[in-house]
Amino acid sequence: MKKSYLFYDIESTGLNPCFDQVIQFAAIRTDLDLNEIQRDEFRIKLNPDIIPAPMAILTHHQGISSMQSGYSEIEGIQTIHALLNEPGTISVGYNTLGFDDEFLRFSFYRNLLPPYSHQYANQCGRMDIYPILMLYYLFKPDILKWPYKNDKVSLKLENINELNHLAEGMAHDAMIDVEVTLELARRCQQDKQMWQYCTGYFDKKIDIARLNQLQQHLTLQNQHYPLAYACSGKLGAKNNFIAPVLALGSHQVYKNQTLWLRLDQAKLSQLDSKNIFENSFVIKRKSAENIFILPYHDRYHKLMTSDRQTTCQQNITWCTANPSLIQQLQQAHQQYTYPEVKNIDADAALYQMPFASTQQQQYMRSFHKQSGADKMRLAEQLNS
């Protein structure tokens, strides 16, 4: 089976994946050397019950009139699902794991399609150029000119393209954003070793092996807590996208989630058994997604300001002196569960729903093969 990258982007009526809608999709499929294979681009007609958010229109400049043509939502989402689920496809974009991927999961779910299969089935997988670019900014900055806004680096796609002229066209047009992202990937791939290292974070086996190889630890009451650095866009440019962390292990309920205590927060030393959640900042991380974990080395420590370095060292000293509190903190975060939302809207219930059974999946496949009238008949049978 040949592997391929599917660089893609969506434009939507707003930011809410439960209730907003995809209105434009674009994709370029390449081989693993980033040679173009094919392009796909289409619009999806606005559903009558969707009101586009004003800020969305101001961002992508697509007015109501332009949303009146294209595929129906079900046709468009089925087409996107097929593209992302073509065997061997690694779907990739710019901050797609921060927005587009979740938006599509809810779109697939709402249209009775498997919402997660593009993540694992048929040798498919996902990547994101955004966190990769962070590492290049920190360690291989010569690949690009870096835009600055208010004395801080900006990793917004439109700002990078404006300075580096990667593609011609209007920002937030789906195909233009795909072209820019692909050119960024080509710039990154010129350093083969760095590219291989970064893309390894999106391979679960490689990612888990790297976590198991972390060498620096705090030993508290005979329990080893690995030290590391987390690299994430959510940490912000003011923090150089990086923070020192202490591994708290895996969540006891959400098995795909590991927990990382930030060590650059001054309030940690004020923690006691009554204010654990208020005074601890714990990063929740899923394997092979867009938070990178780096080894605990001096070269990463120097990326922080002197104040953050000092706070980190003080917190390590505090942790060493308070092992019982660290264990309480660990247990509290490992056992925390998200509150169940009562009377949740069906469109928003993806994360409260169990995975579809084999029988349910067969029913959904059969449903999509029927004509409109037969779909109605099957829906009535389901209600009965």
Side-chain angles (χ1 to χ4, degrees):
M1 178 187 297
K2 281 191 175 182
K3 289 269 193 176
S4 65
Y5 291 125
L6 186 74
F7 288 84
Y8 79 94
D9 183 60
I10 65 170
E11 298 299 334
S12 64
T13 59
L15 299 177
N16 192 312
C18 308
F19 305 116
D20 280 305
Q21 178 194 338
V22 177
I23 55 170
Q24 185 187 16
F25 176 84
I28 299 176
R29 189 177 296 277
T30 76
D31 61 21
L32 296 190
D33 292 321
L34 304 181
N35 299 304
E36 183 173 335
I37 298 172
Q38 72 177 58
R39 293 188 174 212
D40 292 275
E41 183 179 12
F42 53 84
R43 294 185 179 275
I44 295 176
K45 189 184 304 182
L46 185 68
N47 283 332
D49 62 337
I50 300 293
I51 300 176
M55 283 306 299
I57 294 176
L58 290 174
T59 298
H60 52 56
H61 303 290
Q62 297 185 34
I64 299 298
S65 60
S66 69
M67 300 181 196
Q68 301 305 310
S69 61
Y71 288 141
S72 66
E73 186 189 30
I74 181 62
E75 292 171 328
I77 297 304
Q78 282 180 314
T79 303
I80 295 170
H81 192 269
L83 288 168
L84 267 64
N85 282 273
E86 183 174 316
T89 296
I90 302 170
S91 52
V92 55
Y94 197 83
N95 196 33
T96 39
L97 295 187
F99 177 73
D100 307 65
D101 188 83
E102 182 178 40
F103 205 103
L104 289 179
R105 285 202 300 274
F106 274 92
S107 298
F108 296 155
Y109 158 75
R110 187 167 60 246
N111 288 279
L112 300 182
L113 296 164
Y116 301 106
S117 55
H118 67 287
Q119 301 178 198
Y120 66 88
N122 299 314
Q123 297 188 37
C124 291
R126 303 173 299 163
M127 274 181 25
D128 194 332
I129 299 301
Y130 177 49
I132 289 176
L133 202 65
M134 284 179 210
L135 289 195
Y136 276 84
Y137 164 71
L138 293 174
F139 306 114
K140 299 285 185 177
D142 292 342
I143 69 161
L144 287 172
K145 297 176 183 177
W146 301 98
Y148 282 79
K149 303 292 181 181
N150 300 319
D151 297 322
K152 292 185 293 188
V153 69
S154 171
L155 297 186
K156 286 187 175 180
L157 198 64
E158 60 264 37
N159 294 336
I160 291 172
N161 187 39
E162 183 180 3
L163 189 60
N164 292 273
H165 308 292
L166 302 172
E168 295 294 328
M170 184 178 68
H172 298 290
D173 175 85
M175 182 55 80
I176 299 301
D177 285 355
V178 170
E179 290 177 345
V180 175
T181 303
L182 176 54
E183 288 305 314
L184 283 175
R186 286 169 174 159
R187 294 279 187 100
C188 291
Q189 200 184 58
Q190 290 174 8
D191 188 322
K192 300 290 186 183
Q193 185 175 7
M194 182 70 170
W195 176 256
Q196 185 175 16
Y197 176 78
C198 291
T199 57
Y201 276 106
F202 297 102
D203 182 307
K204 284 192 175 182
K205 290 182 179 179
I206 294 174
D207 185 43
I208 292 171
R210 287 174 178 173
L211 297 185
N212 291 334
Q213 292 167 3
L214 294 173
Q215 296 181 353
Q216 297 288 334
H217 299 80
L218 279 187
T219 301
L220 309 175
Q221 294 184 342
N222 298 319
Q223 185 172 347
H224 299 297
Y225 295 84
L227 287 162
Y229 285 91
C231 184
S232 168
K234 291 183 178 180
L235 295 170
K238 67 177 182 179
N239 291 321
N240 247 346
F241 309 108
I242 197 166
V245 290
L246 185 72
L248 300 177
S250 299
H251 200 285
Q252 294 181 0
V253 178
Y254 311 119
K255 299 302 183 182
N256 62 341
Q257 190 179 97
T258 54
L259 305 171
W260 304 82
L261 173 66
R262 281 185 64 173
L263 295 173
D264 59 342
Q265 303 293 292
K267 63 181 181 179
L268 179 61
S269 61
Q270 302 166 18
L271 182 143
D272 59 37
S273 59
K274 297 179 181 179
N275 61 17
I276 286 176
F277 290 101
E278 293 81 0
N279 283 15
S280 59
F281 190 136
V282 171
I283 296 171
K284 301 173 180 67
R285 179 183 189 268
K286 294 180 181 178
S287 182
E289 292 205 358
N290 55 350
I291 300 174
F292 292 173
I293 298 297
L294 307 175
Y296 195 76
H297 289 320
D298 286 343
R299 62 178 176 272
Y300 306 138
H301 205 65
K302 294 174 182 176
L303 293 171
M304 298 190 299
T305 62
S306 58
D307 288 345
R308 292 177 71 212
Q309 292 180 33
T310 299
T311 299
C312 174
Q313 190 53 56
Q314 289 173 342
N315 281 332
I316 289 175
T317 301
W318 181 85
C319 290
T320 303
N322 294 275
S324 296
L325 273 177
I326 293 301
Q327 289 186 348
Q328 288 182 50
L329 181 154
Q330 178 184 25
Q331 292 170 6
H333 282 282
Q334 285 180 330
Q335 295 169 7
Y336 172 83
T337 56
Y338 302 112
E340 182 176 350
V341 180
K342 300 295 184 181
N343 301 315
I344 190 170
D345 191 287
D347 285 349
L350 173 60
Y351 298 147
Q352 291 190 187
M353 295 283 288
F355 288 108
S357 67
T358 301
Q359 182 179 3
Q360 289 170 329
Q361 291 179 40
Q362 290 175 345
Y363 184 92
M364 288 187 284
R365 286 193 292 269
S366 175
F367 180 85
H368 284 300
K369 293 177 181 177
Q370 305 303 315
S371 65
D374 288 335
K375 280 185 170 70
M376 184 65 70
R377 177 179 54 79
L378 285 175
E380 290 173 348
Q381 289 177 357
L382 184 63
N383 289 332
S384 63

